[in-house]
Amino acid sequence: MTVGGSDAGGGAGIQADLKAFHTIGVHGTSAITAITAQNTRGVEHIHPLPLDVIAGQLDAVLDDMAVGAAKTGMLYSPEVAALAGDRLAGIPLVVDPVMVSTTRHALSTAALADAVAAHLLPVCTLATPNVDEAERLTGLSIDGVEGMREACHALHDMGADTVVVTGGHFETATDVFYDGDEVVEVTLPGLERAGHGSGCTFSAYAAAFLARGTPAREAVREAKRYTWTAVAGAITPGQGVDVVRQRSSPLPVMDGDKTVVWRMLQQAVDSLRTFLPRALIPEVGVNLAYALPDASGPEDVCAVRGRLVYTDRPVQVGECRFGASRHIAAIVLAAMHRDASMRCAVNIAFSKRAVAACRDAGLTVGCFDRADEPAGRSTMEWGTGHVIEQLGEIPDVIWDEGGAGKEAMIRVIGETPRQVVDTVWCIAAALEKD
């Protein structure tokens, strides 16, 4: 069960919670505390619901169903915090002390922190404040992991059975968990993006795993993995911050070289989205791929699932995932066959102006004709290898004019995503000067 506010934009609040519940396979119920008029740019209006209406929702669910776990989110007022603490006592409870939105708008009255401390922490199984919320609840100043550890101890002393202070805005996405006996740090690679709904999603996943009987420490680890995936695969439905996208399974990028490759690729995609002009986005979309050092097949190449497309700006449709594209992977693998350091490629739209811009930017350029392709060969593998063989080197750019049902395309090849994106920037700059 989730007890919290409704987000009109569908990114946070009970909407995010119910999506997280669904992906884990538990049935979600809700008690709405407030209706917000908000979107990806901010909160325009908050309408707190009457206390008796909130109580009626709680009672309706609790009188009829065996609630395996509950979570609180946006409660807004001390009175609602007291009500939730009373009704949910005795149920495995996750307390997410929501006070400010991702867009930095207040979602609580001034006295809420004291009410959470008085009525919810003493009955909660797991408290999940972020650093700002932990500071408000404890009065401490937190500037790193050591401060997070201290806050965990303080919140446990205030009554919470277990505590996790989330630190996703630090350079490494380290959360600190404490169960009264041991402090545990849970770290995944930091993501350079703001994910609207990430806090709600994290606490909802934690509650869902508690409902399935998972111990608190493991519930936190699982919640982090699933939330990290939701932030990594965030979408851009509006004109403001990205919105997390809950998935039924975490991304397989949690180990060694795969983590490094995924992170470098996602950072490059985020950079590409900031400047890529409409003229360089083909009808089929843009894909950027980066291979593991010892890649031997498409499953070893990370690319954008669903590509980048243009609406009123470049939008990443899906998350970066290994094996997401055989097309762009074939180019990378053909280049690596000649030089193992050339592990990255991106496709952009073809035009004669764009090819001229490549040359104006001082890039080496090669091309192939699909009409010369031998039967039974992969176009991208053959075309890339054919140009490399003709030139005796791997050029910066390979293009072709397409064919029947095949869009003309430019491909940029390089060693790293950063290098390839910088090359595309040079092309875009030269095209703008033309």
Side-chain angles (χ1 to χ4, degrees):
M1 183 180 197
T2 173
V3 182
S6 171
D7 175 357
I14 63 159
Q15 285 84 352
D17 296 340
L18 293 172
K19 284 184 279 187
F21 294 164
H22 176 74
T23 61
I24 292 300
V26 299
H27 176 68
T29 63
S30 62
I32 300 175
T33 60
I35 298 171
T36 69
Q38 67 173 301
N39 52 33
T40 61
R41 293 177 297 187
V43 180
E44 298 176 8
H45 182 71
I46 297 174
H47 176 67
L49 293 183
L51 199 63
D52 63 331
V53 173
I54 301 170
Q57 295 174 80
L58 287 164
D59 292 341
V61 174
L62 296 172
D63 288 348
D64 181 50
M65 303 182 191
V67 176
K71 65 149 287 188
T72 61
M74 177 189 174
L75 300 178
Y76 193 69
S77 72
E79 294 77 15
V80 178
L83 172 67
D86 176 66
R87 294 296 201 277
L88 300 175
I91 296 172
L93 176 62
V94 176
V95 173
D96 180 10
V98 174
M99 298 179 195
V100 178
S101 71
T102 303
T103 53
R104 309 309 300 168
H105 288 75
L107 298 177
S108 66
T109 58
L112 180 62
D114 291 339
V116 168
H119 300 289
L120 288 172
L121 292 184
V123 298
C124 85
T125 307
L126 173 67
T128 66
N130 60 30
V131 167
D132 290 342
E133 292 159 351
E135 287 182 332
R136 291 186 65 175
L137 288 169
T138 64
L140 297 171
S141 177
I142 303 171
D143 59 5
V145 171
E146 285 305 313
M148 294 165 70
R149 285 171 168 260
E150 186 179 356
C152 279
H153 281 276
L155 290 163
H156 183 266
D157 290 343
M158 294 166 69
D161 285 347
T162 63
V163 181
V164 58
V165 176
T166 60
H169 65 287
F170 290 140
E171 183 176 350
T172 57
T174 297
D175 300 341
V176 177
F177 173 83
Y178 180 56
D179 60 4
D181 294 319
E182 184 180 5
V183 175
V184 178
E185 294 179 16
V186 185
T187 301
L188 289 175
L191 298 171
E192 296 183 356
R193 49 171 51 188
H196 180 49
S198 56
C200 301
T201 296
F202 176 78
S203 56
Y205 275 130
F209 279 105
L210 288 177
R212 292 173 56 175
T214 307
R217 182 188 300 188
E218 188 59 28
V220 166
R221 289 189 183 277
E222 289 299 301
K224 185 171 182 66
R225 293 175 67 223
Y226 278 80
T227 303
W228 190 89
T229 295
V231 176
I235 59 173
T236 312
Q239 300 175 39
V241 296
D242 289 345
V243 170
V244 298
R245 191 172 189 177
Q246 296 83 354
R247 306 281 181 170
S248 59
S249 60
L251 289 173
V253 294
M254 307 300 179
D255 63 302
D257 286 340
K258 279 192 171 182
T259 298
V260 174
V261 166
W262 185 93
R263 187 179 186 189
M264 291 179 68
L265 183 66
Q266 184 60 63
Q267 289 173 340
V269 170
D270 290 342
S271 176
L272 193 63
R273 290 168 54 205
T274 65
F275 72 84
L276 192 64
R278 177 68 183 89
L280 290 182
I281 300 180
E283 291 297 320
V284 297
V286 170
N287 213 333
L288 179 65
Y290 188 35
L292 291 168
D294 56 352
S296 60
E299 68 279 359
D300 298 322
V301 182
C302 195
V304 182
R305 190 175 185 180
R307 305 192 177 205
L308 276 73
V309 300
Y310 192 88
T311 54
D312 57 342
R313 64 194 184 286
V315 172
Q316 181 178 348
V317 174
E319 74 277 3
C320 294
R321 187 181 283 267
F322 284 89
S325 173
R326 302 187 69 85
H327 180 93
I328 197 77
I331 299 168
V332 173
L333 293 168
M336 290 181 69
H337 184 71
R338 173 65 181 249
D339 181 346
S341 70
M342 304 299 281
R343 295 162 47 199
C344 187
V346 66
N347 70 294
I348 56 177
F350 168 85
S351 69
K352 291 182 178 179
R353 288 182 61 240
V355 173
C358 293
R359 294 193 172 100
D360 291 343
L363 303 175
T364 56
V365 178
C367 67
F368 64 88
D369 187 338
R370 288 175 182 259
D372 298 330
E373 178 186 342
R377 294 290 302 275
S378 159
T379 301
M380 293 304 102
E381 180 184 0
W382 168 80
T384 303
H386 179 69
V387 170
I388 293 171
E389 185 178 349
Q390 279 189 324
L391 299 179
E393 63 176 359
I394 301 174
D396 300 311
V397 172
I398 296 177
W399 61 272
D400 78 281
E401 293 188 342
K406 302 292 183 180
E407 187 176 3
M409 201 69 64
I410 293 173
R411 297 100 184 164
V412 179
I413 303 172
E415 295 184 359
T416 67
R418 180 72 266 169
Q419 182 189 47
V420 167
V421 168
D422 286 345
T423 301
V424 175
W425 186 90
C426 291
I427 297 170
L431 189 64
E432 187 176 355
K433 291 178 182 178
D434 185 13

